[in-house]
Structures are given as structure tokens and as C-alpha cells.
């Protein structure tokens, strides 16, 4: 028996995909569980509001990713998860409803190219978050003081600070004059330009006047990174005001590298707590997990 299936049965949960009358593997089901939890936790932790989105690469097909169609993350359920082709961000179908395919899938986020182009460029990236988190916006809107890793839980920002994506710096070939200049990443060339902005050891790109994009090697990690990027931005701003200094006291390259290693041992502890806190609000519905505890191992 597949290990994930055994975990599922051991947890005493109804094997939900059978109830859907379709052959969905235990792997895909647990990925869906984590994706719904990720959407809900990002809202619970105030990283996303009505807007923003999280995705993961399909664990069963690395040419695809899973993300909801255009819906507030807090309201995501199994019936809003879509399988998209990475090649062109086109909907294949609803991941957990095989009767809804292709063009029958409700409209996706216009900015799904943020996700598709990051997956295309970085084969080792397995999860992506895009958000408008208020705390990071001041750092996206000026370039004299970069957002840096100031706290040991935010190595994702990197030792050189976070790069900034600014549509005003894009050539006419990427953003023609006759296209909308509304700061949204609405097509492959814009998504590609954003993906090309990642540099060095930073898992983060700030987007001027807009928000951020965070990449990660797992879904739980990218949620952890997003939360502590938000915390870090507050700490840096307060430390700057308190100390009257311009130059931030950043972790150095060695500290970033080592705290990144340590962070891998931290987010598995945070995850079940955040799931339970989100469950306790009563606001969110994870109909793939149905109130059970999350798996010990995650995506
Ligand atoms: C599920 O898979 C089994 C075995 O491969 C097959 O017999 C069955 O018809 C499949 N069911 C559906 C709904 O596709
Ligand atoms: C993987 O996904 C791609 C893009 O949707 C699709 O063309 C291909 O058939 C899939 N591979 C398998 C083995 O299902
Ligand atoms: C998207 O790309 C796939 C190949 O990965 C291709 O089969 C499909 O026709 C493309 N869809 C659109 C709408 O361009
Ligand atoms: C799957 O989609 C169809 C068509 O929208 C809908 O009638 C059906 O209720 C959906 N299945 C589930 C399990 O939600
Ligand atoms: C990124 O790396 C390049 C090449 O190693 C270096 O020149 C550049 O200063 C680095 N940028 C940051 C922000 O650390």
C-alpha cells in the first residue's frame, strides 16, 4: 500500500476521493488538503486579504501546478482547486471534480502567470505565494533601504536584501504602451520578467506599489517564509525608527545560510498549530480534511 494511503487510513479518515467517484490518489488528496490549509492559514495570519494566492507544483506531474480559481483564499474549498499547465497557465480541469474540464473551469486569477513562470524558470521550486501584505509595501516603494533578513526566522529574504520588481523598468517589448499599466502580472512576458528578478539567496521579490512573490521548496515552507517576511518587515522598520540608523542590521551570508537550515526544522512545528488556529475560527472549510488533524509530513 502507498505510504500516504496508509497514513490516511491510520488517521481514521474516510478515503474521500472514493466518495467523489473518481480515482484520485492519496498523494494528490493530501496535496489538496495542504493547499486548502495554506490558503486559510495565509488569511488567518493576515498575509493575504480578499486577494492573493498560493500554489504548489503537482506532486504527480511537474509540468502542472495546483491553485484555486479566482476566489478569496479564505473561501477556498476542494471544488475551487484547479490543475493548471505550467507551460501557459491554462486550466486542465478541477483537480477534485473530473466532470469540470478546460474552459468549463471558472475564470482563474489574472495573475496566475506569476506562478507558472516561476515554476518554469526554477525546476526546484515547488510552491509559490503572491500577496499584498501591507507591512512589506514600504520596502517595495523605495530603493534606498532594502528589506533584509533581520530575524533568524526570515532567512528567505536573503543576505543581499530583497530585489524589487518595478514595471516602470520594463522594456516596451515586455510591457507595450498599449497594454494596461495596472501593475498586475497578466501574461507570460510579465511573469517571466518577474521570475528573472529573483537573485542570489533571496526567495522573495518585492513588487513596487503592489506586493510580493515568494518561492519555496515546499508549501509549508513558503507559508512559513511569507509569515516571517511580514514579521521581519515590521521589526526592520521599528528598529530603524528606534535606532535612528539608515543601514539595517542584517544577518550576514553565513547566518542566512545556517538559519535557513534551522528553519527547515521549525515550520513542521508551526504548521499543526496554524491549522488548528484556523480551524477554530469556523471561517474556513477544508472539506478534504474534514476537521481531522493535518498529516505529520506535508507538501
Ligand atoms: C479506478 O481505478 C480502478 C482500477 O484501476 C478501475 O477499475 C476503476 O474503473 C476506476 N474508477 C474510475 C471511476 O475511474
Ligand atoms: C503532465 O501534464 C502535462 C501538462 O498538463 C500533460 O500534457 C501530460 O500529459 C501530463 N503527464 C501525465 C503523465 O499525465
Ligand atoms: C498550453 O500548452 C500545452 C502544452 O503544454 C498545449 O497542449 C495547449 O494547447 C496550450 N494551450 C493553450 C490555450 O495555448
Ligand atoms: C462537480 O461539478 C459538477 C458540475 O459543476 C457538480 O454538479 C458536482 O456537484 C460537482 N461535484 C462535487 C463533488 O462537488
Ligand atoms: C548577487 O550576486 C551577484 C553575483 O554574485 C552580486 O554581484 C550581487 O551583488 C548580488 N546581489 C545581492 C543583492 O546580493
Amino acid at each position: 500500500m502507498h505510504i500516504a494511503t496508509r497514513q490516511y487510513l491510520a488517521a481514521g479518515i474516510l478515503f474521500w476521493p472514493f466518495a467523489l467517484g473518481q480515482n484520485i490518489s492519496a498523494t494528490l488528496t493530501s496535496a489538496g488538503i495542504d493547499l486548502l490549509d495554506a490558503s486559510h492559514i495565509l488569511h488567518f495570519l493576515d498575509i493575504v486579504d480578499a486577494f492573493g494566492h498560493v500554489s504548489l507544483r503537482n506532486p504527480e506531474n511537474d509540468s502542472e501546478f495546483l491553485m484555486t480559481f479566482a476566489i478569496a483564499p479564505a473561501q477556498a474549498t476542494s471544488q475551487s482547486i484547479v490543475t493548471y499547465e505550467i507551460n501557459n497557465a491554462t486550466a486542465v480541469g478541477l483537480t477534485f471534480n473530473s466532470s469540470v474540464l478546460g474552459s468549463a473551469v471558472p475564470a482563474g486569477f489574472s495573475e496566475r502567470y506569476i506562478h507558472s513562470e516561476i515554476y518554469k524558470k526554477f525546476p526546484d521550486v515547488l510552491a509559490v505565494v503572491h500577496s499584498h501584505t501591507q507591512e512589506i509595501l514600504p520596502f517595495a516603494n523605495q530603493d534606498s533601504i532594502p528589506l533584509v533578513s533581520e530575524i533568524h526566522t526570515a532567512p528567505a529574504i536573503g543576505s543581499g536584501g530583497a530585489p524589487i520588481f518595478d514595471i516602470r523598468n520594463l522594456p516596451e517589448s515586455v510591457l507595450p504602451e498599449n497594454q494596461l499599466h495596472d501593475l498586475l502580472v497578466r501574461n507570460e512576458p510579465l511573469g517571466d520578467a518577474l521570475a528573472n528578478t529573483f537573485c542570489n539567496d533571496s526567495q522573495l521579490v518585492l513588487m513596487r506599489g503592489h506586493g510580493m512573490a515568494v518561492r519555496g521548496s515546499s508549501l509549508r515552507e513558503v507559508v512559513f517564509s511569507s509569515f516571517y517576511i511580514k514579521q521581519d518587515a515590521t521589526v526592520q522598520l521599528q528598529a530603524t525608527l528606534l535606532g535612528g540608523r539608515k543601514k539595517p542590521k542584517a544577518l550576514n551570508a553565513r547566518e542566512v545560510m545556517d538559519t535557513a537550515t534551522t528553519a527547515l526544522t521549525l515550520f513542521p512545528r508551526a504548521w499543526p498549530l496554524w491549522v488548528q488556529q484556523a480551524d477554530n475560527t469556523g471561517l474556513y472549510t477544508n472539506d478534504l480534511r474534514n476537521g481531522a488533524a493535518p498529516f505529520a509530513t506535508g507538501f
Side-chain angles (χ1 to χ4, degrees), residues 16 19-22 78-79 94 96-100 104 287:
W16 176 254
L20 294 177
Q22 57 185 100
S78 70
Q79 293 306 301
L94 287 189
F96 296 100
N97 190 336
S98 57
S99 66
V100 183
D287 56 338

mmCIF file of all heavy atoms in Angstrom, residues 16 19-22 78-79 94 96-100 104 287, ligand 4:
data_model
loop_
_atom_site.group_PDB
_atom_site.id
_atom_site.type_symbol
_atom_site.label_atom_id
_atom_site.label_comp_id
_atom_site.label_asym_id
_atom_site.label_seq_id
_atom_site.Cartn_x
_atom_site.Cartn_y
_atom_site.Cartn_z
ATOM 1 N N TRP A 16 -11.759 10.064 1.105
ATOM 2 C CA TRP A 16 -12.642 10.999 0.441
ATOM 3 C C TRP A 16 -12.717 10.839 -1.090
ATOM 4 O O TRP A 16 -13.804 10.891 -1.658
ATOM 5 C CB TRP A 16 -12.203 12.419 0.824
ATOM 6 C CG TRP A 16 -12.969 13.487 0.150
ATOM 7 C CD1 TRP A 16 -12.543 14.273 -0.867
ATOM 8 C CD2 TRP A 16 -14.313 13.891 0.420
ATOM 9 N NE1 TRP A 16 -13.531 15.144 -1.237
ATOM 10 C CE2 TRP A 16 -14.627 14.925 -0.459
ATOM 11 C CE3 TRP A 16 -15.286 13.453 1.331
ATOM 12 C CZ2 TRP A 16 -15.865 15.544 -0.454
ATOM 13 C CZ3 TRP A 16 -16.513 14.070 1.329
ATOM 14 C CH2 TRP A 16 -16.798 15.104 0.445
ATOM 15 N N ALA A 19 -15.399 8.851 -2.389
ATOM 16 C CA ALA A 19 -16.712 9.472 -2.290
ATOM 17 C C ALA A 19 -16.993 10.347 -3.516
ATOM 18 O O ALA A 19 -18.130 10.559 -3.891
ATOM 19 C CB ALA A 19 -16.797 10.318 -1.014
ATOM 20 N N LEU A 20 -15.918 10.847 -4.150
ATOM 21 C CA LEU A 20 -16.094 11.666 -5.339
ATOM 22 C C LEU A 20 -16.315 10.799 -6.574
ATOM 23 O O LEU A 20 -16.561 11.319 -7.654
ATOM 24 C CB LEU A 20 -14.871 12.559 -5.583
ATOM 25 C CG LEU A 20 -14.583 13.654 -4.554
ATOM 26 C CD1 LEU A 20 -13.307 14.391 -4.911
ATOM 27 C CD2 LEU A 20 -15.725 14.638 -4.462
ATOM 28 N N GLY A 21 -16.178 9.483 -6.420
ATOM 29 C CA GLY A 21 -16.401 8.590 -7.551
ATOM 30 C C GLY A 21 -15.332 8.703 -8.613
ATOM 31 O O GLY A 21 -15.563 8.410 -9.771
ATOM 32 N N GLN A 22 -14.166 9.160 -8.250
ATOM 33 C CA GLN A 22 -13.092 9.217 -9.233
ATOM 34 C C GLN A 22 -11.792 8.753 -8.595
ATOM 35 O O GLN A 22 -11.666 8.738 -7.380
ATOM 36 C CB GLN A 22 -12.962 10.607 -9.837
ATOM 37 C CG GLN A 22 -12.724 11.717 -8.825
ATOM 38 C CD GLN A 22 -12.714 13.088 -9.475
ATOM 39 O OE1 GLN A 22 -13.679 13.829 -9.443
ATOM 40 N NE2 GLN A 22 -11.596 13.441 -10.053
ATOM 41 N N SER A 78 -12.403 22.281 -1.760
ATOM 42 C CA SER A 78 -11.900 21.314 -2.754
ATOM 43 C C SER A 78 -12.416 21.637 -4.151
ATOM 44 O O SER A 78 -11.724 21.419 -5.139
ATOM 45 C CB SER A 78 -12.322 19.893 -2.369
ATOM 46 O OG SER A 78 -13.724 19.732 -2.546
ATOM 47 N N GLN A 79 -13.634 22.196 -4.224
ATOM 48 C CA GLN A 79 -14.237 22.439 -5.538
ATOM 49 C C GLN A 79 -13.758 23.738 -6.178
ATOM 50 O O GLN A 79 -14.244 24.132 -7.237
ATOM 51 C CB GLN A 79 -15.766 22.406 -5.428
ATOM 52 C CG GLN A 79 -16.302 21.019 -5.090
ATOM 53 C CD GLN A 79 -15.810 19.940 -6.076
ATOM 54 O OE1 GLN A 79 -16.051 20.033 -7.268
ATOM 55 N NE2 GLN A 79 -15.096 18.936 -5.575
ATOM 56 N N LEU A 94 -10.869 20.961 -12.939
ATOM 57 C CA LEU A 94 -10.903 20.982 -11.481
ATOM 58 C C LEU A 94 -10.170 19.728 -10.985
ATOM 59 O O LEU A 94 -10.460 18.615 -11.452
ATOM 60 C CB LEU A 94 -12.340 20.982 -10.964
ATOM 61 C CG LEU A 94 -13.160 22.265 -11.121
ATOM 62 C CD1 LEU A 94 -14.485 22.150 -10.363
ATOM 63 C CD2 LEU A 94 -12.386 23.497 -10.651
ATOM 64 N N PHE A 96 -10.346 18.136 -8.186
ATOM 65 C CA PHE A 96 -11.160 17.186 -7.425
ATOM 66 C C PHE A 96 -12.584 17.068 -7.966
ATOM 67 O O PHE A 96 -13.525 16.786 -7.216
ATOM 68 C CB PHE A 96 -11.152 17.570 -5.934
ATOM 69 C CG PHE A 96 -9.771 17.475 -5.343
ATOM 70 C CD1 PHE A 96 -8.981 18.604 -5.170
ATOM 71 C CD2 PHE A 96 -9.234 16.232 -5.003
ATOM 72 C CE1 PHE A 96 -7.698 18.513 -4.660
ATOM 73 C CE2 PHE A 96 -7.950 16.125 -4.484
ATOM 74 C CZ PHE A 96 -7.172 17.269 -4.319
ATOM 75 N N ASN A 97 -12.704 17.313 -9.271
ATOM 76 C CA ASN A 97 -14.007 17.090 -9.904
ATOM 77 C C ASN A 97 -13.790 16.870 -11.400
ATOM 78 O O ASN A 97 -13.725 17.834 -12.171
ATOM 79 C CB ASN A 97 -14.948 18.274 -9.659
ATOM 80 C CG ASN A 97 -16.367 17.974 -10.075
ATOM 81 O OD1 ASN A 97 -16.598 17.113 -10.929
ATOM 82 N ND2 ASN A 97 -17.319 18.690 -9.489
ATOM 83 N N SER A 98 -13.713 15.615 -11.788
ATOM 84 C CA SER A 98 -13.329 15.297 -13.168
ATOM 85 C C SER A 98 -14.424 15.631 -14.175
ATOM 86 O O SER A 98 -14.218 15.503 -15.379
ATOM 87 C CB SER A 98 -12.958 13.819 -13.272
ATOM 88 O OG SER A 98 -14.046 13.032 -12.840
ATOM 89 N N SER A 99 -15.598 16.106 -13.679
ATOM 90 C CA SER A 99 -16.628 16.485 -14.648
ATOM 91 C C SER A 99 -16.488 17.945 -15.088
ATOM 92 O O SER A 99 -17.248 18.409 -15.934
ATOM 93 C CB SER A 99 -18.034 16.201 -14.086
ATOM 94 O OG SER A 99 -18.284 17.027 -12.988
ATOM 95 N N VAL A 100 -15.519 18.663 -14.528
ATOM 96 C CA VAL A 100 -15.327 20.069 -14.934
ATOM 97 C C VAL A 100 -13.940 20.219 -15.564
ATOM 98 O O VAL A 100 -12.919 20.210 -14.866
ATOM 99 C CB VAL A 100 -15.485 21.021 -13.721
ATOM 100 C CG1 VAL A 100 -15.364 22.473 -14.172
ATOM 101 C CG2 VAL A 100 -16.826 20.799 -13.031
ATOM 102 N N ALA A 104 -14.600 24.931 -19.052
ATOM 103 C CA ALA A 104 -15.709 24.934 -18.092
ATOM 104 C C ALA A 104 -15.250 25.368 -16.694
ATOM 105 O O ALA A 104 -16.076 25.662 -15.827
ATOM 106 C CB ALA A 104 -16.334 23.535 -18.015
ATOM 107 N N ASP A 287 -12.786 20.775 3.155
ATOM 108 C CA ASP A 287 -13.655 19.605 3.004
ATOM 109 C C ASP A 287 -12.886 18.363 2.551
ATOM 110 O O ASP A 287 -13.476 17.293 2.423
ATOM 111 C CB ASP A 287 -14.809 19.914 2.030
ATOM 112 C CG ASP A 287 -14.328 20.389 0.678
ATOM 113 O OD1 ASP A 287 -13.192 20.884 0.575
ATOM 114 O OD2 ASP A 287 -15.078 20.260 -0.299
HETATM 115 C C1 LIG B 4 -18.661 18.517 -9.777
HETATM 116 O O1 LIG B 4 -19.098 19.502 -10.695
HETATM 117 C C2 LIG B 4 -20.424 19.303 -11.127
HETATM 118 C C3 LIG B 4 -20.700 20.296 -12.236
HETATM 119 O O2 LIG B 4 -20.484 21.625 -11.764
HETATM 120 C C4 LIG B 4 -21.369 19.465 -9.942
HETATM 121 O O3 LIG B 4 -22.690 19.220 -10.343
HETATM 122 C C5 LIG B 4 -20.977 18.457 -8.872
HETATM 123 O O4 LIG B 4 -21.743 18.694 -7.714
HETATM 124 C C6 LIG B 4 -19.506 18.621 -8.520
HETATM 125 N N1 LIG B 4 -19.085 17.570 -7.586
HETATM 126 C C7 LIG B 4 -18.785 17.813 -6.311
HETATM 127 C C8 LIG B 4 -18.338 16.641 -5.512
HETATM 128 O O5 LIG B 4 -18.860 18.914 -5.822
#
